[in-house]
């Protein structure tokens, strides 16, 4: 029982994701501010030698056209990736979202570490309309197929079945079924926006369902459903019934022989 609970806690802890390097986030935002403010020399000072010749006046003006005046209301890290090359060199790729009232700026930065110093090796900017971004990643029911609604219904019912089975198994003290009922096997993943789906057989998931959406404004919703086989078997095999009482062991006693007053001949 203790081993099963410890395993469950480890599974839940594994769902947490590490955070990015705050120093690299600040360096990327500083590079954006230098482009926005027209500080060419400041950007060159923190750029890698491979990027400096590319920062011509025309290229810098092109980057500046994708910036928005003023400070963003909110900044958010969408993704990051750190790669260790060797000999002290490393690469860091970072994508951020800068929110303004009138626009959303997507900032992609590639940084390289050489001789212990991080430098900007690449910078890409894109500006999108917030209304367009919200519509692209919205969860709507318009123009959806029966597959969409079937997966959505399964994604709602599967966790309910898992939780109900867990509670009943706990009440009946069926510890193995209690832990097993929380997991589903196989997975059907549906892209809610495009309708594309994928199937994985060798997969197990907690609560037999889930959903995710990328941090980017254009990232779609993805619904994931697994088959709650342990929970289904729990009810099919009628493990919800109380356990039968173990029969008591019978003990035979030899009948007592009455004593006789007659002496043997």
């Amino acid at each position: 029982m203790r081993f099963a609970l410890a395993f469950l806690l480890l599974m839940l802890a594994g769902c947490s994701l590490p955070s990015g390097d705050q120093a690299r986030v600040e360096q990327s935002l500083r590079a954006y501010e230098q482009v926005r403010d027209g500080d060419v020399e400041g950007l060159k000072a923190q750029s890698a030698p491979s990027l400096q010749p590319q920062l011509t006046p025309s290229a810098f003006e092109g980057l500046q056209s994708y910036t928005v005046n003023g400070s963003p209301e909110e900044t958010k890290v969408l993704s990051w990736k750190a790669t260790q090359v060797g000999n002290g060199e490393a690469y860091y790729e970072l994508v951020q979202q800068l929110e303004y009232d009138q626009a959303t700026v997507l900032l992609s930065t590639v940084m390289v570490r050489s001789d212990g110093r991080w430098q900007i090796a690449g910078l890409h900017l894109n500006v999108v309309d917030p209304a367009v971004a919200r519509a692209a990643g919205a969860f709507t029911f318009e123009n959806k197929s029966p597959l969409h609604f079937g997966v959505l219904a399964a994604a709602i019912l599967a966790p309910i079945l898992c939780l109900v089975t867990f509670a009943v198994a706990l009440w009946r003290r069926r510890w193995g079924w209690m832990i097993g009922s929380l997991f589903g096997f196989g997975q059907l993943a549906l892209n809610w926006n495009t309708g594309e789906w994928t199937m994985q057989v060798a997969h197990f998931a907690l609560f037999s369902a889930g959903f995710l959406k990328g941090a980017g404004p254009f990232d779609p919703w993805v619904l994931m459903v697994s088959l709650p086989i342990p929970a289904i078997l729990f009810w099919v095999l009628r493990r919800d019934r109380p356990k039968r009482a173990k029969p008591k062991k019978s003990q035979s006693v030899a009948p007592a022989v009455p004593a006789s007053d007659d002496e043997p001949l």
Side-chain angles (χ1 to χ4, degrees), residues 88-110:
E89 294 187 357
Y91 287 91
Y92 198 94
E93 302 176 27
L94 181 67
V95 180
Q96 299 179 82
Q97 179 177 329
L98 285 64
E99 289 290 346
Y100 294 87
D101 283 337
Q102 67 275 26
T104 298
V105 178
L106 298 179
L107 170 62
S108 301
T109 312
V110 178

Side-chain angles (χ1 to χ4, degrees), residues 25 27-33 35 76 78-79 94-98 104-109 122-126:
V25 173
Q27 184 177 9
S28 175
L29 293 176
R30 186 164 61 251
Y32 170 78
E33 293 172 356
V35 173
K76 180 169 56 176
L78 301 183
S79 64
L94 181 67
V95 180
Q96 299 179 82
Q97 179 177 329
L98 285 64
T104 298
V105 178
L106 298 179
L107 170 62
S108 301
T109 312
L123 196 66
H124 180 76
L125 295 171
N126 193 12

Side-chain angles (χ1 to χ4, degrees), residues 191-240:
N191 186 318
W192 186 260
N193 292 38
T194 65
E196 298 178 356
W197 59 272
T198 58
M199 177 72 75
Q200 295 184 20
V201 178
H203 184 87
F204 69 96
L206 186 64
F207 299 124
S208 297
F211 64 92
L212 61 87
K213 184 185 184 304
F218 295 105
D219 293 337
W221 288 90
V222 178
L223 298 184
M224 298 166 291
V225 180
S226 300
L227 190 62
I229 296 178
I232 295 174
L233 291 178
F234 178 83
W235 297 100
V236 171
L237 300 178
R238 300 308 304 269
R239 298 301 181 182
D240 57 311

Side-chain angles (χ1 to χ4, degrees), residues 53 118 213 215 260:
W118 284 99
K213 184 185 184 304
S260 175

